[in-house]
DNA sequence: AATGGGACCTGCGCGC
DNA sequence: TGCGCGCAGGTCCCAT
């Protein structure tokens, strides 16, 4: 479900709702989603810890936890395809439910069980975080052009590569390429400076707009208050196969690239 | 290095 | 109604 704008929306919602709360209990209804350490150790470590700060890196949500008696710990949450964080939660259908010091629940729901929860002593212990590419907002055109110039692969799968650039998923890759008028099939290194510049600023604009509308609720994604984001209303190509392009009225096409559905306008995107 | 396939999972919508 | 198929916002792992 969640790409950068969805995770950022959840982060902001939780920041306002649960920062400063203590975790009193952890109910694990499906240990499959606990990737480290063991489920028992996971709850033991978390009990009594205070949620002091919440941040985001790429699509990963990170809770920084503290207590007087223990060293700082990090709870990493990757929602993958169908994960949700809902507060206050019901605890019923949750894979994992955190009981907080105010008696309310923070639910981790995940229909497809692909999500991951981890407790780490240090962020450097996460190989995924260590390998994560830069946040789109931190890049400039010159760096981005240079990064692209070294890669022979197609631009769209490259945008999905989290070690190349972090936070972009299937929806926003498609929307950004449409906005930049670049075909998803172009080889990365063939983009001119002008095109790379346009692509970077399209990515940033699309992500910011999506954050403004609190993410795209296509099927599973909800905000931390359980309500939907509205950005799907503004998608120009994603999920619009056969529908007229908003710019030139040609039919939007869907092809498969790197095993992922890829939507684009064959007329506008070159 | 790049690409393709399958794996991990559950559930939905479609055509027959 | 029921079945089989393809598909899904992500990532990893293997083979070529």
């Amino acid at each position: 479900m969640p790409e950068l704008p969805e995770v950022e929306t959840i982060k902001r919602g939780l920041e306002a709702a649960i920062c400063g709360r203590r975790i009193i209990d952890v109910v694990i209804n499906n240990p499959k989603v606990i990737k480290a350490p063991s489920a028992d150790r996971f709850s033991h470590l978390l009990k009594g810890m205070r949620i002091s700060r919440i941040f985001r890196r790429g699509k990963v949500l990170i809770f920084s936890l503290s207590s007087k008696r223990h060293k700082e710990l990090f709870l990493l949450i990757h929602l993958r395809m169908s994960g949700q964080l809902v507060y206050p939660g019901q605890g019923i259908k949750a894979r994992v439910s955190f009981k907080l010091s105010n008696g309310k629940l923070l639910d981790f729901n995940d229909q497809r069980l692909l999500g991951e929860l981890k407790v780490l002593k240090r962020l450097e212990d996460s190989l995924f975080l260590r390998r994560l590419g830069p946040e789109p907002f931190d890049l400039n055109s010159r760096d981005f052009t240079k990064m692209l110039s070294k890669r022979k692969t197609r631009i769209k799968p490259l945008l999905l590569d989290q070690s190349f650039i972090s936070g972009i998923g299937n929806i926003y890759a498609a929307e950004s390429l449409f906005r930049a008028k670049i075909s998803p099939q172009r080889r990365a290194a063939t983009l001119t400076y002008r095109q790379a510049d346009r692509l970077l600023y399209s990515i940033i604009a699309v992500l910011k707009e999506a954050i403004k509308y609190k993410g795209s609720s296509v099927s599973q994604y909800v905000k931390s208050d359980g309500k939907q984001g509205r950005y799907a209303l503004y998608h120009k190509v994603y999920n619009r196969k056969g529908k007229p392009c908003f710019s030139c009225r040609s039919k939007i096409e869907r092809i498969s690239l790197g095993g992922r559905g890829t939507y684009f306008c064959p007329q506008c995107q070159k």
Side-chain angles (χ1 to χ4, degrees), chain A residues 1-2 10 14 61 77-87 93-96 98 106-111 115 117 219-224 226 228:
Chain A
M1 113 193 159
I10 292 168
L14 291 180
L61 205 55
I77 304 179
H78 198 311
L79 300 167
R80 292 285 187 97
M81 295 291 261
S82 61
Q84 304 175 331
L85 280 170
V86 178
Y87 176 88
K93 56 169 184 164
R95 302 302 190 179
V96 177
F98 302 88
L106 170 64
D107 280 0
F108 173 73
N109 305 321
D110 187 10
Q111 183 179 87
L117 306 185
S219 66
Q220 296 284 317
Y221 163 71
V222 289
K223 299 184 284 160
S224 59
Q228 304 209 322

Side-chain angles (χ1 to χ4, degrees), chain A residues 25-258:
Chain A
D25 199 8
V26 184
V27 178
I28 301 174
N29 294 319
N30 194 323
K32 199 153 224 159
V33 296
I34 314 286
K35 301 296 174 180
S38 69
D40 282 353
R41 185 109 185 92
F42 179 87
S43 5
H44 182 74
L45 284 169
L46 290 181
K47 277 185 208 174
M49 298 297 282
R50 198 175 69 91
I51 302 165
S52 51
R53 217 156 71 82
I54 300 177
F55 48 110
R56 178 194 62 72
R57 183 73 178 85
K59 303 173 190 174
V60 183
L61 205 55
I62 303 166
F63 288 19
S64 150
L65 307 162
S66 60
S67 86
K68 284 180 191 139
R69 293 166 44 215
H70 301 280
K71 280 193 183 162
E72 182 177 40
L73 281 182
F74 299 96
L75 169 62
L76 269 61
I77 304 179
H78 198 311
L79 300 167
R80 292 285 187 97
M81 295 291 261
S82 61
Q84 304 175 331
L85 280 170
V86 178
Y87 176 88
Q90 308 292 316
I92 311 281
K93 56 169 184 164
R95 302 302 190 179
V96 177
S97 193
F98 302 88
K99 189 175 176 190
L100 305 184
S101 43
N102 58 357
K104 296 189 178 174
L105 302 176
L106 170 64
D107 280 0
F108 173 73
N109 305 321
D110 187 10
Q111 183 179 87
R112 291 175 69 181
L113 290 172
L114 299 171
E116 296 191 356
L117 306 185
K118 280 183 186 177
V119 171
L120 301 178
K121 292 203 169 82
R122 302 173 310 164
L123 288 180
E124 307 85 75
D125 295 340
S126 164
L127 182 62
F128 184 77
L129 285 185
R130 263 190 281 145
R131 293 177 44 183
L132 214 43
E135 294 279 320
F137 309 116
D138 294 341
L139 285 169
N140 62 49
S141 307
R142 195 174 310 152
D143 296 341
F144 191 55
T145 309
K146 204 171 168 188
M147 286 161 60
L148 291 175
S149 69
K150 296 180 206 153
R151 308 295 294 256
K152 290 180 176 153
T153 189
R154 295 176 202 277
I155 185 65
K156 198 262 190 168
L158 184 60
L159 293 179
L160 299 184
D161 179 348
Q162 300 301 297
S163 64
F164 179 75
I165 186 170
S166 60
I168 301 172
N170 210 28
I171 295 177
Y172 299 110
E175 294 299 319
S176 301
L177 286 165
F178 174 78
R179 188 171 181 129
K181 300 185 191 299
I182 293 166
S183 164
Q185 309 188 71
R186 281 282 293 281
R187 301 278 165 182
T190 70
L191 297 205
T192 63
Y193 178 84
R194 220 179 120 75
Q195 289 173 324
D197 172 74
R198 206 166 62 200
L199 178 54
L200 177 61
Y201 286 98
S202 297
I203 289 168
I204 291 172
V206 164
L207 294 176
K208 282 190 173 168
E209 217 168 278
I211 292 170
K212 181 172 134 195
Y213 289 101
K214 305 189 188 302
S216 302
S217 286
V218 173
S219 66
Q220 296 284 317
Y221 163 71
V222 289
K223 299 184 284 160
S224 59
D225 63 6
K227 294 181 184 157
Q228 304 209 322
R230 301 195 317 281
Y231 193 65
L233 295 171
Y234 302 94
H235 291 173
K236 304 263 197 303
V237 287
Y238 184 80
N239 241 346
R240 295 196 66 248
K241 181 188 174 186
K243 305 219 168 105
C245 171
F246 290 123
S247 174
C248 74
R249 314 316 289 176
S250 307
K251 280 189 177 177
I252 300 302
E253 286 184 12
R254 180 191 181 280
I255 59 171
S256 180
L257 278 186

